[in-house]
Amino acid sequence: MSKIICSAAIRGAHKVVEKAEKEWKEAMDKWGATEPVGFPNTAYYLPIVYAILGIPVEKLGDMEPVLDRCRILLPPLVKENSPLPYLAPALDAGMATFFAEEIIEAIRYLKEPNFYTKQEDPTDDNLWLGAADDVILRKRGIEFVDGTAPGFAAIAGAAPDPETAKNIAIELQEKNLYVFMCAENEGKRFSEQLIEAGVQIGWPTRLVSFGPDISAAVFAMGFACRVAMSFGGVKPGQFRRNLIYNKDRTFAFVMPLGFVSDEWYANAAGAINWGFPTIADTPIPEVLPTGICTYEHVVSNVPHDQIVRRSVEVRGLKVAVSEVPVPVSYGPAFEGERVRGDDIHLEMGGGKTHAVEWITTQEMDQVEDGKIEVIGPNITDVQAPGQLPIAIVGEVAGRNFEEDFEPILERQIHHLINYAQGVMHIGQRDIAWIRISKQAVEKGFKLEHLGKILHAKLHQDFGVTFDKIQVKIYTEEERVNKILEEARAVYAKRDARIEGMTDETTDIFYSCTLCQSFAPNHVCIISPERTGLCGAYNWMDCKASYEINPTGPNQPVEKGEVIDENLGQWKGCNEFLHKASRGTFDHYNFYSIVNDPMTTCGCCECIAAVLPMCNGIMTVNRDYLGMTPCGMKFTTLAGSVGGGVITPGFVGHGKYNITQRKFLRAEGGIQRIVWMPKMLKEEIKERFDNRAEEMGIPDLMERIADETIGETEEDILPFLEEKQHPALTMDPILG
Ligand code: SF4
Ligand code: ZN
């Protein structure tokens, strides 16, 4: 290693360790040795210290031995006339720097508990996210393991101007990398520049503003250490394994932008321990391959328009670029991005207009592969903020294509469209909701690009199942309504394919973990009588999906021994759930809302909630925008129970599921329903009446309240009493 870099790194390490010692002494004087310290909501303490030294720092006093280790690791300062130092002392100095910086950051959490937002997104008045908690780790870390995100760029400092910052960030996003940001250069910070350039930052867009100071670099390194411990089976204290795991599997590098201070050198040297090289835009000395990496450790003076390409080359990352012919960036990094308020150019669906998406089979000679038609007004025909109804119809043909595959391709539309920068997609079937941003429109995004995305990506991912696909996009009210009607008839037919099946007649259920990219621990297990809560996947669909893609998101689950027949709990399902939720849940019940119901994710068609005063339950569909008797609108409900957790008293479910015989059987099934929006009642009436008839209460629907009766429990209770609703005389629901 170059003498200049080594001396600077060692000098920097001394400064950082001294600062940590000073902060620690002051904190000890103020709070004492037993004061709890740490990063929020994590089982990994100070993760670098824990990963490398195996020391769980829980109290201020626990920091003392760590600081002692820093002192032992710190090499003496390099003298002017001393011989050329070699790499090892600089690496040790870098390691000591990270330990010391974790201590500094932990003490900051003690001194200023609200310095960081402690969530996934910045807030209006706070940009700094601080350490990722374990929820974020589980959700995002898995992407480092399954290859959705190959690694990260740790950026320190700032670009010369916001435009350059934006270009670098987008290039990194396109390579599916996370961007971890810290520190400042000449009073400017990369995260602030992105905001200035109108870029949405936060974990969902993979642009993570960790903190304003260089010490926030430990949040990036700590994240890598935790990935190795939580997904790689590396134990705390197994430092060599942790370093090697990351060198081999995490494609990370450090990108200092601007003047490289002694402290920055110290951090860069620390990162080399993990095999993470440094690629700088300033003319610092270069360091060529030696023992640790087979590639350069430090590459310098790289122009901004080449820095991402150069970094990726140095680190040896092979990026599978998805060739999608759209004028905006495209990839999983843009999946979580939202389009809001002033940014909206065009909105479709979401309760404001009709929006429907449908994949349907056609004869071979009826389909011209890649043909995209927009029938009706296009984006450029509406003034922002505009609205249009939309029907997206994908017509598929193929010798091996089966009708059973339609819903599977259809369910891909959600994430495939979301991958486009500046386009947001929520929902499915006839509750789709799309927003297109002004920025995307400025870049030339038009409605036909939705079709181009589907054509390119469905061929890429599902090409074995079909030969040709063409896409028709309707935006004229009348045509949309016509498609809506046709599609709804098909949805009903698809749903009804499992009509005769019961949960008892099969030993195999299917999992669906498609939604884990949004709700990390969410696991749908789909049985014949419990359709997926998005309403888009039933048991048949999952079976077909497994046939197409045996290693995909729908796996057979052997239901195994019955644990509770009434609640709907099976040993095999529990075991699967435990594995698929990565240890978060060890059981749930298929047929109950009160007793550990299934996990709920954000795309459920309906959410049911217990209404204690009425001794019943209500359920509300996504397209109903009004207030409900549980005191929350659908959006609020989805926000509070839709994160992939179990919330007793609430459960997400599909519309069709209401009329399946096992629907909330543990609480008495549909006899417990005391409130539903009128539109939902009308939609499911026919099937509902049949079920009610079977139960011997043919007029049950008429005894159920809706918004025309009231929107609070107090308001609907007299109606229920008057109608002698069966729920009122049933066992107490919260028994
Ligand atoms: Fe699959 Fe469930 Fe998500 Fe539907 S809600 S896509 S069934 S995980
Ligand atoms: Zn979902």
Side-chain angles (χ1 to χ4, degrees):
M1 205 181 217
S2 112
K3 180 167 171 178
I4 299 178
I5 293 189
C6 278
S7 336
I10 292 170
R11 249 191 339 262
H14 275 267
K15 290 189 209 169
V16 175
V17 173
E18 272 155 32
K19 179 168 183 219
E21 286 169 339
K22 183 166 161 284
E23 294 269 343
W24 177 72
K25 285 204 188 87
E26 285 170 12
M28 285 287 280
D29 288 345
K30 185 158 177 206
W31 286 285
T34 56
E35 181 69 21
V37 283
F39 296 161
N41 188 18
T42 177
Y44 298 94
Y45 310 98
L46 304 187
I48 305 177
V49 168
Y50 192 48
I52 303 299
L53 302 177
I55 302 177
V57 173
E58 293 176 85
K59 301 185 293 295
L60 269 179
D62 300 335
M63 289 175 169
E64 187 163 16
V66 178
L67 287 166
D68 292 344
R69 289 298 288 267
C70 290
R71 275 291 161 199
I72 296 167
L73 278 170
L74 267 190
L77 289 165
V78 180
K79 302 233 173 55
E80 233 3 88
N81 54 2
S82 67
L84 194 66
Y86 54 105
L87 184 60
L91 296 185
D92 288 349
M95 195 58 95
T97 302
F98 285 150
F99 298 162
E101 284 176 336
E102 275 195 332
I103 288 177
I104 292 169
E105 289 292 347
I107 292 176
R108 164 127 75 190
Y109 271 104
L110 184 61
K111 293 203 301 201
E112 297 170 76
N114 295 321
F115 187 84
Y116 295 115
T117 65
K118 293 180 272 189
Q119 59 177 40
E120 280 211 327
D121 296 291
T123 57
D124 285 344
D125 53 7
N126 191 0
L127 207 58
W128 309 117
L129 305 179
D133 67 12
D134 283 356
V135 179
I136 298 177
L137 170 74
R138 274 196 297 272
K139 177 154 148 195
R140 308 289 170 179
I142 188 73
E143 300 178 351
F144 284 65
V145 183
D146 70 14
T148 331
F152 61 86
I155 294 186
D161 52 77
E163 204 49 34
T164 310
K166 178 178 165 182
N167 292 339
I168 292 174
I170 290 180
E171 235 187 293
L172 290 164
Q173 283 177 305
E174 283 172 349
K175 306 255 180 308
N176 304 331
L177 292 162
Y178 274 86
V179 182
F180 292 156
M181 304 174 273
C182 69
E184 54 134 0
N185 180 50
E186 294 179 348
K188 288 183 292 193
R189 295 183 172 90
F190 199 80
S191 344
E192 291 163 347
Q193 291 180 314
L194 292 183
I195 298 272
E196 223 183 299
V199 178
Q200 184 190 326
I201 67 173
W203 281 96
T205 52
R206 302 192 177 184
L207 303 172
V208 182
S209 44
F210 270 136
D213 303 323
I214 184 67
S215 48
V218 291
F219 299 143
M221 300 307 297
F223 192 81
C225 289
R226 286 154 73 196
V227 168
M229 288 189 282
S230 86
F231 301 105
V234 178
K235 300 263 165 339
Q238 291 183 326
F239 68 94
R240 209 180 300 275
R241 276 192 65 200
N242 200 306
L243 302 179
I244 290 172
Y245 177 95
N246 274 295
K247 173 180 159 299
D248 291 345
R249 308 201 35 166
T250 310
F251 286 90
F253 49 88
V254 180
M255 191 188 283
L257 299 176
F259 174 72
V260 180
S261 68
D262 290 350
E263 286 88 341
W264 285 24
Y265 275 119
N267 278 274
I272 293 173
N273 284 295
W274 279 261
F276 302 161
T278 290
I279 291 78
D281 65 346
T282 50
I284 58 174
E286 301 217 328
V287 178
L288 299 171
T290 54
I292 297 202
C293 314
T294 48
Y295 41 83
E296 296 94 326
H297 299 316
V298 180
V299 179
S300 68
N301 216 10
V302 185
H304 293 113
D305 57 353
Q306 291 169 30
I307 200 159
V308 174
R309 190 172 50 80
R310 191 76 183 97
S311 307
V312 166
E313 265 168 32
V314 170
R315 192 62 181 90
L317 170 62
K318 293 200 186 20
V319 189
V321 256
S322 20
E323 284 301 337
V324 178
V326 287
V328 294
S329 300
Y330 188 87
F334 305 101
E335 186 176 12
E337 166 209 37
R338 276 143 304 182
V339 178
R340 275 191 285 238
D342 285 347
D343 291 334
I344 303 172
H345 184 103
L346 175 62
E347 179 159 30
M348 296 163 287
K352 301 192 176 73
T353 66
H354 281 148
V356 52
E357 46 203 34
W358 179 29
I359 298 283
T360 177
T361 315
Q362 279 286 358
E363 293 304 323
M364 280 294 255
D365 59 354
Q366 297 296 307
V367 179
E368 187 184 319
D369 189 46
K371 184 171 169 199
I372 317 288
E373 284 172 276
V374 176
I375 302 137
N378 208 317
I379 292 186
T380 36
D381 301 322
V382 290
Q383 291 277 327
Q387 295 176 352
L388 282 175
I390 189 167
I392 302 174
V393 184
E395 297 180 333
V396 179
R399 279 172 297 270
N400 302 320
F401 195 72
E402 295 170 30
E403 224 173 74
D404 289 353
F405 299 161
E406 289 171 359
I408 299 147
L409 299 197
E410 200 175 282
R411 191 69 181 107
Q412 312 303 317
I413 297 176
H414 172 54
H415 71 269
L416 294 183
I417 289 185
N418 251 329
Y419 279 7
Q421 192 189 23
V423 184
M424 183 184 93
H425 184 287
I426 292 176
Q428 58 279 325
R429 284 190 171 185
D430 55 349
I431 50 171
W433 180 11
I434 303 174
R435 281 179 172 176
I436 299 175
S437 73
K438 286 179 184 158
Q439 289 88 334
V441 176
E442 269 158 34
K443 288 190 184 138
F445 195 91
K446 291 185 155 200
L447 290 178
E448 46 269 41
H449 292 113
L450 298 174
K452 290 195 171 157
I453 290 171
L454 297 183
H455 172 254
K457 290 299 289 179
L458 288 177
H459 264 300
Q460 232 174 61
D461 300 346
F462 289 86
V464 287
T465 63
F466 68 92
D467 299 324
K468 303 197 274 186
I469 177 168
Q470 66 189 15
V471 183
K472 293 180 178 152
I473 296 169
Y474 300 91
T475 57
E476 282 165 352
E477 182 95 48
E478 233 170 88
R479 308 285 295 264
V480 170
N481 289 346
K482 204 172 145 275
I483 300 286
L484 195 60
E485 216 175 284
E486 277 178 66
R488 278 185 179 151
V490 175
Y491 301 151
K493 224 171 84 199
R494 284 182 193 161
D495 290 345
R497 281 180 302 154
I498 46 160
E499 189 57 48
M501 278 188 78
T502 65
D503 288 357
E504 287 78 23
T505 52
T506 175
D507 293 330
I508 303 287
F509 294 165
Y510 286 92
S511 64
C512 190
T513 47
L514 212 58
C515 284
Q516 287 197 343
S517 54
F518 294 94
N521 299 316
H522 175 63
V523 185
C524 276
I525 301 181
I526 296 174
S527 69
E529 290 181 284
R530 202 191 192 284
T531 283
L533 54 84
C534 57
Y537 265 21
N538 65 26
W539 185 89
M540 289 276 184
D541 302 326
C542 294
K543 184 165 180 280
S545 160
Y546 173 66
E547 276 160 26
I548 299 177
N549 183 4
T551 56
N554 304 111
Q555 293 294 314
V557 179
E558 220 160 310
K559 73 180 184 197
E561 217 175 280
V562 183
I563 293 178
D564 192 311
E565 203 184 334
N566 192 44
L567 293 169
Q569 196 186 130
W570 296 267
K571 194 155 175 269
C573 296
N574 285 349
E575 283 162 6
F576 184 91
L577 169 69
H578 191 244
K579 217 168 60 212
S581 71
R582 289 174 281 277
T584 314
F585 306 114
D586 57 11
H587 71 281
Y588 60 32
N589 296 312
F590 282 51
Y591 311 146
S592 179
I593 182 173
V594 174
N595 250 308
D596 298 332
M598 276 199 181
T599 57
T600 296
C601 71
C603 43
C604 46
E605 273 188 312
C606 304
I607 298 176
V610 169
L611 297 180
M613 194 186 200
C614 302
N615 201 35
I617 61 156
M618 56 152 273
T619 187
V620 55
N621 52 312
R622 179 182 297 273
D623 11 15
Y624 177 75
L625 307 177
M627 187 40 89
T628 78
C630 76
M632 286 182 263
K633 292 183 181 176
F634 183 92
T635 41
T636 322
L637 271 170
S640 52
V641 307
V645 290
I646 291 176
T647 318
F650 300 87
V651 72
H653 61 86
K655 287 177 188 169
Y656 182 80
N657 185 230
I658 302 173
T659 51
Q660 291 189 291
R661 288 179 185 79
K662 299 281 168 34
F663 178 70
L664 304 186
R665 180 174 74 172
E667 283 78 35
I670 55 174
Q671 293 182 68
R672 278 285 186 184
I673 303 181
V674 295
W675 189 92
M676 273 193 282
K678 207 165 173 351
M679 63 195 290
L680 181 60
K681 280 180 165 178
E682 278 159 15
E683 190 177 334
I684 63 172
K685 183 163 182 11
E686 203 185 311
R687 286 176 41 84
F688 189 96
D689 284 348
N690 292 340
R691 291 277 305 108
E693 176 112 41
E694 267 175 39
M695 298 175 99
I697 330 169
D699 64 341
L700 181 58
M701 191 64 114
E702 280 83 73
R703 303 198 209 172
I704 297 175
D706 55 40
E707 71 275 19
T708 64
I709 310 293
E711 289 175 349
T712 63
E713 284 204 68
E714 288 83 355
D715 285 350
I716 63 170
L717 191 54
F719 171 87
L720 301 173
E721 280 163 349
E722 185 204 312
K723 295 277 177 192
Q724 300 186 341
H725 191 291
L728 299 179
T729 52
M730 290 168 77
D731 289 343
I733 188 159
L734 295 175

